[in-house]
Amino acid sequence: MTNKKPHIAALIVAAGSGTRFGDASVPKQYTPLLGRPVLRWSVDRLRSCKDIAQICIVIQPEHKTRCQAALTGLDDIQIVDGGATRQQSVRKGLEALAKQPPDFVLIHDAARPCVTDALIDHVIQSLVAGNDSAIPAMPVTDTLKKVDRSGKVITHSREGLFAVQTPQGFSFGKILAQHQAHAHENLTDDAALFECDSLPIQMVNGIRDNIKITYPEDIDAAAGILSLACGDIRTGKGYDVHRLVPPRDDARQLIIGGIVIPHDKVLDGHSDADVGLHAITDALLGTICDGDIGMHFSPKDMRWKGADSGMFLQHAAQLLAAQGGLLMHADLTIICETPKIGPHRDAMRKRIAELLHLPLNRVSVKATTTEGLGFTGRGEGIAAEAVVTVRLPFATSYTAAQNIQPSDDAKITRIAP
Ligand code: MG
């Protein structure tokens, strides 16, 4: 190995049908987990690793629409049709990557969404150190029983037994050659292809939280693990006002909460003036201390003239996601005398839930008047308030902030007892 930075690819295996998962109408890799499909968690974890230059996913061809929905906002992922077995699917993925062969490939099961940056790094470091394989493994700690055909139960020694996980890392050329040479086999992991020809396998420490979603109850277990990892709970608040004016042209419509509302006046503003989405956007930016909507989308910038505010909202949500954040809940209050919001409330909730990829029961829209008082009472404008709740990983900067040393100035001004 030279000092040149190795080219590392990740191959995510999402082509399973999940026969043990129960509800076959939603395959386990597309089941919602804390608001995102299981597959998206796995993709985001591998994508956040700076050393991984490209990602390829193998899927069932009939799941293409589900997969594209799961990857919304990501345009740098290669999608390849899988085969009838896991082994065939991995081979097809490796052959797709072989057009521009990487030095190493990490093969990961989509159904392990709790994989950590540290484990991914551990596998990569082992490969870079000169191993042709790096397999995360945990010693088996449960007592093992074997049941023979007559129903007799026999204790099986667990000595030397390990449960293996993914991502499994390999020198790309070697694992591709093994898959092609043993294409007729039906093995359940990729290290087994190395075993076929007694090639050396390097085991690295796995982690207990890197569970494989197999049964429906595993979704709750994964939600618990991921929530603990995102324990920095924050609340953001947004407030916005736009003036109500007669429409200057036929094209201008009253839009609140992403929904067109028939009315004799419209909201005045540089964009579509959607006061509701602006308030939620500011609330989201508040959770990550990233300024306000005007800083990101200046009202002087002609690119945003008449813009759909759904774009602003999704941008703020993406900034949160880029920090590993999870949006848990959004609560919007619209303050006006007219139009009546009640008839449009459900449509607004549905639109906001779509834009934020949230389940409907995590989006609230409320409305109130001000009893004829103030600018809203006089019908001069509409106001909106929003509160959002998010979960973020505890950043190292937070820990550092807790350990600020007293400055010299502080020492000088300290009063002696
Ligand atoms: Mg505004």
Side-chain angles (χ1 to χ4, degrees):
M1 195 86 220
T2 65
N3 286 333
K4 186 174 140 274
K5 193 168 183 267
H7 179 186
I8 302 173
L11 177 62
I12 298 178
V13 191
S17 56
T19 49
R20 286 169 291 184
F21 193 65
D23 180 9
S25 64
V26 182
K28 64 179 177 181
Q29 59 272 41
Y30 300 106
T31 298
L33 168 60
L34 293 176
R36 319 180 189 168
V38 167
L39 168 64
R40 180 61 184 255
W41 280 100
S42 297
V43 170
D44 285 346
R45 287 295 168 110
L46 288 157
R47 232 173 140 259
S48 71
C49 173
K50 293 189 299 297
D51 294 324
I52 294 175
Q54 69 181 117
I55 294 181
C56 173
I57 306 179
V58 272
I59 64 164
Q60 294 257 2
E62 60 267 34
H63 293 163
K64 193 152 215 155
T65 308
R66 284 184 192 277
C67 180
Q68 284 166 341
L71 301 180
T72 299
L74 309 181
D75 52 12
D76 53 354
I77 310 262
Q78 186 179 5
I79 300 172
V80 175
D81 287 345
T85 64
R86 183 188 184 282
Q87 190 179 323
Q88 286 176 24
S89 293
V90 173
R91 179 171 52 78
K92 289 177 116 186
L94 292 171
E95 285 170 349
L97 286 170
K99 285 164 192 151
Q100 283 185 299
D103 298 306
F104 301 117
V105 61
L106 268 55
I107 304 174
H108 184 62
D109 287 332
R112 289 189 191 269
C114 303
V115 62
T116 62
D117 296 348
L119 179 60
I120 294 167
D121 190 51
H122 209 164
V123 171
I124 290 174
Q125 291 309 318
S126 179
L127 295 170
V128 171
N131 295 306
D132 283 328
S133 69
I135 314 301
M138 297 286 298
V140 172
T141 53
D142 293 330
T143 297
L144 298 174
K145 304 282 185 192
K146 185 170 183 181
V147 184
D148 73 11
R149 285 186 183 169
S150 70
K152 188 176 170 194
V153 177
I154 306 153
T155 300
H156 205 284
S157 169
R158 67 187 174 210
E159 193 185 339
L161 288 184
F162 289 82
V164 298
Q165 306 177 341
T166 69
Q168 297 188 350
F170 300 95
S171 293
F172 180 77
K174 294 209 166 149
I175 191 65
L176 174 62
Q178 290 305 108
H179 266 277
Q180 289 177 328
H182 299 278
H184 59 282
E185 308 268 2
N186 184 13
L187 303 169
T188 54
D189 84 335
D190 301 289
L193 276 296
F194 262 44
E195 292 163 34
C196 289
D197 293 310
S198 302
L199 298 179
I201 292 173
Q202 179 64 49
M203 297 220 279
V204 301
N205 289 329
I207 57 164
R208 203 160 292 284
D209 282 347
N210 185 21
I211 61 169
K212 184 175 181 184
I213 306 273
T214 307
Y215 302 103
E217 57 268 31
D218 295 336
I219 290 286
D220 289 339
I225 292 166
L226 293 168
S227 294
L228 269 182
C230 281
D232 185 357
I233 298 170
R234 299 185 184 188
T235 306
K237 185 181 174 199
Y239 177 72
D240 195 30
V241 172
H242 282 263
R243 192 183 293 273
L244 272 171
V245 294
R248 282 191 296 266
D249 57 68
D250 291 343
R252 189 84 180 182
Q253 295 176 295
L254 176 63
I255 300 172
I256 307 176
I259 297 298
V260 174
I261 299 178
H263 196 50
D264 59 351
K265 289 186 178 170
V266 297
L267 288 171
D268 193 27
H270 184 63
S271 65
D272 67 4
D274 187 330
V275 67
L277 296 195
H278 290 187
I280 306 174
T281 303
D282 260 355
L284 282 170
L285 292 172
T287 64
I288 50 171
C289 307
D290 196 355
D292 56 37
I293 190 169
M295 261 177 59
H296 291 266
F297 301 99
S298 167
K300 293 177 184 154
D301 190 331
M302 288 312 288
R303 281 180 299 170
W304 318 128
K305 181 139 185 69
D308 176 354
S309 296
M311 193 178 64
F312 305 159
L313 182 65
Q314 289 196 309
H315 178 75
Q318 280 160 14
L319 291 175
L320 172 69
Q323 294 198 17
L326 289 174
L327 173 58
M328 304 305 293
H329 180 250
D331 182 19
L332 173 66
T333 304
I334 298 156
I335 305 153
C336 60
E337 300 291 328
T338 58
K340 288 267 175 259
I341 298 300
H344 308 284
R345 182 198 315 269
D346 287 344
M348 286 184 194
R349 288 180 65 211
K350 187 162 177 285
R351 180 62 187 145
I352 294 164
E354 279 169 6
L355 287 166
L356 294 174
H357 304 294
L358 277 177
L360 198 57
N361 63 3
R362 290 182 181 274
V363 177
S364 160
V365 173
K366 311 195 296 293
T368 187
T369 70
T370 49
E371 302 283 339
L373 299 171
F375 71 88
T376 51
R378 293 188 295 273
E380 295 167 5
I382 295 180
E385 280 190 340
V387 175
V388 300
T389 308
V390 307
R391 304 184 74 116
L392 281 156
F394 279 107
T396 36
S397 59
Y398 179 79
T399 312
Q402 301 307 296
N403 297 320
I404 291 170
Q405 298 300 312
S407 68
D408 288 344
D409 285 348
K411 284 175 193 163
I412 291 164
T413 55
R414 192 173 294 153
I415 298 167

